[in-house]
Every structure is written in structure tokens, then in C-alpha cells.
Amino acid sequence: MSDGSIRKKIGFIGLGIMGKSMARHLMKAGHAVSVFSRTRSRCEDFIAEGATWQDSVAGAAVGADMIITMVGLPSDVEQVYFGEAGLLSAAEPGTILIDMSTSRPDLAVRIHAEAAGRGLRALDAPVSGGDAGARDGTLSIMVGGDRSDFEAAVPVLAHMGTSIVHLGPAGSGQHCKMANQIAIAGAMLGVAEALAYTLRAGTLRAGLDPTEVLKAIGGGAASSHALHAMWPKMVREDFSPGFLVEHFIKDMTIAQDESRSMGLDLEGLTLVRSLYEALRDKGFGRSGTQALFRHYTP
């Protein structure tokens, strides 16, 4: 391990679809990882690999050089940081707090300000790349906060991602993630509609194989991560979650709120959110975002 990544004590809170893989990379890199999540039974395999289980958020903060949070909703973030025995009261001065959840920019600013007043260092560092990126350690990490704190955190963040960018002061990482989600919303809609068209054209003319169509358009201007990652899953009707529909709706809601506060009316985002909400109402809230294709199937 290089001097920049000397073995650290890291508290990790939130071992969901992505969090467990992210924490595993830290442990494999030689860091001492102490974990807390809502459901211990889902973490037993990780504990067996050497992680230290804690019974509370505060427990995960004890003695930590750095604490990473990867939870679902802004309300969860708020509870973890500001709740009774939350991180802001439990962490020791000098600790770097990194929220890698997708949350509200204003909440990131609030956490940063409160942390600074307590001698703590806070970064907002949401990620993109889904379960595959978390598993492979290839996430894109978008960071807001003080530059010096960012530089101190990079050696640890580098175990989880390959693109790590400092965007500016507190909240900037979350704003960047909103731009990311807006772009993904449009891309996902385009892929679902293109596949629906392909399958209908194949039915009518008996000539379009979706696998061959992907080969044909995947190397041209239509190419995107959404196209290559989600088209095959849509074809197979594999809607297992890499990123949950209900979490994507949460992200789009934040993006809409932020854009409206800026005087922006993002009509495409509004449309895609409405389609996902209809999908959730049909029982697909815990499916992966590629389940949008179900909107175009009987």
C-alpha cells in the first residue's frame, strides 16, 4: 500500500446492493472496516470475510479515521448524520465523513457546515455505475467539499472508482449527480423505445433480430452505457435490480425540485418520472430501472 493509502480504520454505513461491494473493496485493500446496516442477516457473509459488525451508527464511528455512508433516501442521510447518536455527534474531531448516497444538495451543505463546526471534515460524493460498477470498483465518483479534504480522501475513494472528480464546494457532488440522473433518464427512455420499435418491426416484417440491431447501432452515434448494459436485459426481460426503480424516482424527484428552483422546466425528465411512477404503481418499485421496458409490452 502506498503512503497515501496507509491502512485506515473506516466505518461503513449501508450495505445494500452497492454498499457491500464498495466496502468489500476497502477491506480487500487492507483497511480495517467496521460496518453497520439496518439488517445484519444480509451482512453475515461480509462479516465472515473479516468486517467488524457494529450495532449502531455511533458504534461504527468509534475510532474511525473515515466514515462512509451509502444509504437510500435523504431522510436516511439526515437520520444517520443528525439523529440521536448520529455521526455528527459520535465521530471524533478530524474524522472525514463521506456521504456517497444520492441526496439533496442543500442537505450536503448543511452536513458540511455542521461538521466544520464540530471539527469534522465532510464530503458529498455520490456515485454512478450501479451494481456492476460497485462490484468491479469502476464507479464514477462526484465530489463536493473542501479541496484539501478531497485530496485526503482520494486514496481511499480510488479503491471504489476509476473516475474521481472534485466539482467544487459542498453540495457540488450532489448537483453533478442530478445532471447524471437527468442524462440517464433520457437515455433509458430512448433504449426502451428503440427496443420496443425493433421488436414490433421484427413481428411485422420478420427481419429484425434485437441482438443484430444492437450490433448495428451500438458502434454508432446511438451508443451509450444504457444501450449496451440495458438492451440485453430488456430483451431477456431480466428486471433484477442493479439500481431500484423506487430509488431512481427519488433521484428524479430531487432533480426536478432543484431544476424548478432554478427556473428550469425539464419536460423530458417530467415525462420519464411519470412513466417510472406508473411502473412503481404496478408493483415494479423494487425492480431494476431497465423495467421501464414493461411500459411498452402487453
Side-chain angles (χ1 to χ4, degrees), residues 242-255:
F243 187 62
L244 294 171
V245 164
E246 61 185 31
H247 285 175
F248 195 30
I249 292 171
K250 175 263 294 184
D251 293 355
M252 288 187 285
T253 300
I254 296 171

Side-chain angles (χ1 to χ4, degrees), residues 141-202:
I141 306 175
M142 311 158 220
V143 189
D146 297 347
R147 181 80 195 189
S148 59
D149 297 339
F150 166 76
E151 291 173 352
V154 164
V156 170
L157 296 176
H159 297 308
M160 299 178 283
T162 50
S163 173
I164 307 167
V165 181
H166 182 247
L167 280 307
S172 299
Q174 297 295 353
H175 277 302
C176 185
K177 182 61 184 289
M178 291 304 105
N180 183 84
Q181 300 305 75
I182 292 165
I184 288 175
M188 194 69 73
L189 179 63
V191 171
E193 293 194 342
L195 179 58
Y197 179 91
T198 293
L199 295 177
R200 183 64 61 88

Side-chain angles (χ1 to χ4, degrees), residues 68-274:
I68 295 171
T69 52
M70 186 65 176
V71 298
L73 303 174
S75 58
D76 297 324
V77 173
E78 188 161 19
Q79 179 62 33
V80 165
Y81 282 87
F82 291 95
E84 184 178 353
L87 291 180
L88 290 169
S89 60
E92 299 171 10
T95 304
I96 299 177
L97 309 175
I98 308 176
D99 183 29
M100 302 187 79
S101 320
T102 298
S103 185
R104 300 193 317 271
D106 65 305
L107 180 54
V109 172
R110 183 178 160 209
I111 290 171
H112 180 271
E114 184 67 23
R118 294 172 179 262
L120 302 167
R121 306 153 73 186
L123 297 169
D124 51 291
V127 302
S128 182
D131 63 330
R135 187 172 57 251
D136 297 339
T138 57
L139 293 169
S140 292
I141 306 175
M142 311 158 220
V143 189
D146 297 347
R147 181 80 195 189
S148 59
D149 297 339
F150 166 76
E151 291 173 352
V154 164
V156 170
L157 296 176
H159 297 308
M160 299 178 283
T162 50
S163 173
I164 307 167
V165 181
H166 182 247
L167 280 307
S172 299
Q174 297 295 353
H175 277 302
C176 185
K177 182 61 184 289
M178 291 304 105
N180 183 84
Q181 300 305 75
I182 292 165
I184 288 175
M188 194 69 73
L189 179 63
V191 171
E193 293 194 342
L195 179 58
Y197 179 91
T198 293
L199 295 177
R200 183 64 61 88
T203 299
L204 296 176
R205 302 178 182 277
L208 290 180
D209 178 337
T211 301
E212 295 304 308
V213 170
L214 179 58
K215 289 180 183 178
I217 70 175
S223 182
S224 69
H225 174 77
L227 180 70
H228 289 284
M230 297 306 180
W231 180 285
K233 290 184 178 182
M234 291 178 183
V235 170
R236 298 193 304 269
E237 295 194 1
D238 173 7
F239 302 137
S240 57
F243 187 62
L244 294 171
V245 164
E246 61 185 31
H247 285 175
F248 195 30
I249 292 171
K250 175 263 294 184
D251 293 355
M252 288 187 285
T253 300
I254 296 171
Q256 274 197 311
D257 290 344
E258 292 294 328
S259 61
R260 286 170 177 164
S261 73
M262 302 170 191
L264 284 173
D265 183 10
L266 302 182
E267 296 177 5
L269 180 63
T270 299
L271 170 61
V272 177
R273 177 186 168 188
S274 70

